[in-house]
Amino acid sequence: MNALEESREQIAKAEQRLKSLELQVAHYRSLRDQEETMASKINDRILDIAASLEGLEGQRHRIQERVLSCIESEDENGALAGKEELAKLTSDSRRLVDQQIAMKEMMEAAVREAGSLELQQEKVDNAYWKLYEDLRALRYQYRRMGGNLGG
């Protein structure tokens, strides 16, 4: 095989690797975008939970006032019902706080994963541009040797 044929073969292999790297870049970009979208959705859920907790706090205050009013008026049934409502409200609040903590942990994990994917994408990007420059040099060398790439 002469030098021109070897050079043409090197160019073909480099072009194939370049296409492969383009697919990897797109893949990592897509994964990173998915992680960022997930983190955004989780953050939205955290905000919803915070709003729900604020609403529960308002309910707690109203129930406590009602219970005190029932105690002052010696309405034991009303006070007992209020106490049960407060217990349920406390349980609901704990459940929401647990969800909020879990969501924050999930969001932190999604942000870490997005960062990791961004680093991987950056490595592939760098490899792509290095290969691109190598391919340009190969093409230039091929043309200097008298080859025609047809375009």
Side-chain angles (χ1 to χ4, degrees):
M1 183 182 299
N2 68 32
L4 207 54
E5 290 172 348
E6 285 180 25
S7 184
R8 188 168 184 86
E9 189 174 298
Q10 285 179 327
I11 289 170
K13 286 179 182 178
E15 287 173 342
Q16 285 295 82
R17 283 204 58 233
L18 201 60
K19 286 178 185 175
S20 173
L21 287 173
E22 286 172 349
L23 292 175
Q24 287 180 16
V25 167
H27 175 72
Y28 284 124
R29 185 174 293 128
S30 172
L31 290 175
R32 190 193 71 217
D33 289 349
Q34 289 173 14
E35 288 296 327
E36 288 173 351
T37 298
M38 185 185 324
S40 176
K41 287 180 180 179
I42 291 169
N43 189 54
D44 290 346
R45 179 64 182 133
I46 289 171
L47 294 174
D48 289 345
I49 291 171
S52 295
L53 286 169
E54 286 179 27
L56 290 178
E57 192 56 39
Q59 287 179 3
R60 177 186 317 282
H61 182 70
R62 286 189 296 280
I63 293 170
Q64 287 172 336
E65 286 179 356
R66 195 174 72 228
V67 167
L68 289 175
S69 174
C70 289
I71 290 172
E72 287 175 1
S73 68
E74 298 180 6
D75 178 3
E76 291 179 24
N77 289 335
L80 185 58
K83 182 180 173 185
E84 289 172 1
E85 284 181 61
L86 281 174
K88 183 183 180 323
L89 197 63
T90 299
S91 172
D92 291 347
S93 294
R94 283 188 188 131
R95 182 181 49 78
L96 284 172
V97 167
D98 289 345
Q99 284 181 12
Q100 190 177 39
I101 290 168
M103 289 289 169
K104 283 181 180 179
E105 290 171 356
M106 287 173 60
M107 185 174 76
E108 289 168 1
V111 167
R112 278 192 307 274
E113 182 64 18
S116 172
L117 289 168
E118 188 171 355
L119 288 175
Q120 291 174 359
Q121 179 188 344
E122 193 173 304
K123 287 177 184 176
V124 173
D125 276 341
N126 290 339
Y128 173 87
W129 288 111
K130 164 103 176 66
L131 182 59
Y132 179 81
E133 289 301 318
D134 291 349
L135 180 58
R136 283 185 56 190
L138 284 171
R139 287 177 177 163
Y140 176 75
Q141 179 183 5
Y142 183 75
R143 280 190 217 98
R144 285 190 63 211
M145 292 168 44
N148 182 0
L149 294 172

